[in-house]
Amino acid sequence: MSDFWIYFQVAWKFVLDIKGYNHTLFLLALIAPYAFKDWKPVLVLMTSFAIGQTIAMILSVIEVLTVTANLNKFMIPATLLITAFFNIFTISKSQKTNTINWIALVVLCFGIIHGLLFSNFFKSLIRGKLSDKILPLFEFSIGIQAAQLLLVVLILIFSYVIQHFFKFSKRDFTLTFSSFVIGVALPVVLKNILLK
């Protein structure tokens, strides 16, 4: 049981590390348009994201799908930009259930991209035969999902506080924090493009 907590805590700390803020910013951009009452679409999105991450980690660990660290440095901020721009361009449109399926498919793909980052980190932790990696990968994945769940709840609480106590509208909250995400991610994407 102690091995479970080792990999769980490593994953937990990796997701919640302040230096690895890109993942938190992605979740902020993804969840910004939603509130607690929108728990069903949030659940759909987070499930899609988790499935994408898990698929990517498994495929990476069995050496079917790999990505270089440099490409990941470009792809993660690109997912932030796409998500934040999507929020800005669709802010006046209501979130309908038929569009949530399309968004969930895109989020599944983004989960694969983020999962490749996690798998690169996981593979740097553990070496050896594939059979030695399966259980630790499962434990690591649970730690990632638990940390992400915590982040989503904190973002929804933060959104609630800003909207209800500081009288921000849902639209203003989404625009403000999506713009913030763009402001952080755009220079990183441009830097990676210019360096190539």
Side-chain angles (χ1 to χ4, degrees):
M1 200 60 161
S2 61
D3 282 352
F4 171 83
W5 286 113
I6 290 169
Y7 290 108
F8 180 93
Q9 288 177 347
V10 167
W12 176 274
K13 289 175 183 174
F14 184 67
V15 172
L16 298 178
D17 184 3
I18 194 72
K19 295 174 189 169
Y21 60 86
N22 280 342
H23 193 68
T24 302
L25 287 178
F26 174 77
L27 292 175
L28 176 61
L30 183 65
I31 302 303
Y34 301 98
F36 278 113
K37 67 182 176 64
D38 306 314
W39 66 270
K40 285 182 183 176
V42 169
L43 182 63
V44 168
L45 294 178
M46 292 313 299
T47 301
S48 296
F49 194 57
I51 290 169
Q53 288 174 328
T54 304
I55 289 169
M57 288 191 295
I58 291 169
L59 292 177
S60 180
V61 167
I62 63 173
E63 302 293 333
V64 171
L65 181 64
T66 56
V67 68
T68 65
N70 286 338
L71 187 57
N72 234 341
K73 285 180 186 176
F74 169 77
M75 291 168 54
I76 299 289
T79 64
L80 273 71
L81 279 180
I82 293 167
T83 306
F85 276 121
F86 178 81
N87 288 346
I88 289 171
F89 290 127
T90 61
I91 194 71
S92 59
K93 298 174 184 153
S94 63
Q95 298 286 351
K96 297 179 182 170
T97 53
N98 61 351
T99 60
I100 196 69
N101 294 330
W102 180 83
I103 296 169
L105 182 61
V106 173
V107 169
L108 176 86
C109 295
F110 288 173
I112 291 170
I113 293 168
H114 285 251
L116 290 171
L117 168 71
F118 292 135
S119 66
N120 284 346
F121 179 71
F122 175 78
K123 288 192 296 188
S124 73
L125 293 175
I126 188 164
R127 308 252 186 241
K129 298 180 294 186
L130 179 61
S131 59
D132 296 336
K133 297 178 184 177
I134 299 300
L135 186 58
L137 179 63
F138 175 72
E139 296 160 348
F140 185 79
S141 184
I142 290 174
I144 287 171
Q145 302 315 320
Q148 287 178 170
L149 180 61
L150 173 66
L151 285 173
V152 168
V153 170
L154 291 175
I155 291 166
L156 289 172
I157 290 170
F158 178 67
S159 171
Y160 179 84
V161 168
I162 295 293
Q163 290 178 50
H164 288 84
F165 294 108
F166 295 100
K167 303 302 180 196
F168 260 56
S169 68
K170 186 176 181 180
R171 179 183 187 279
D172 290 344
F173 179 84
T174 303
L175 285 174
T176 300
F177 287 94
S178 295
S179 298
F180 172 73
V181 169
I182 290 169
V184 173
L186 188 58
V188 175
V189 169
L190 292 174
K191 179 182 172 187
N192 282 307
I193 290 172
L194 294 174
L195 289 177
K196 293 192 181 225

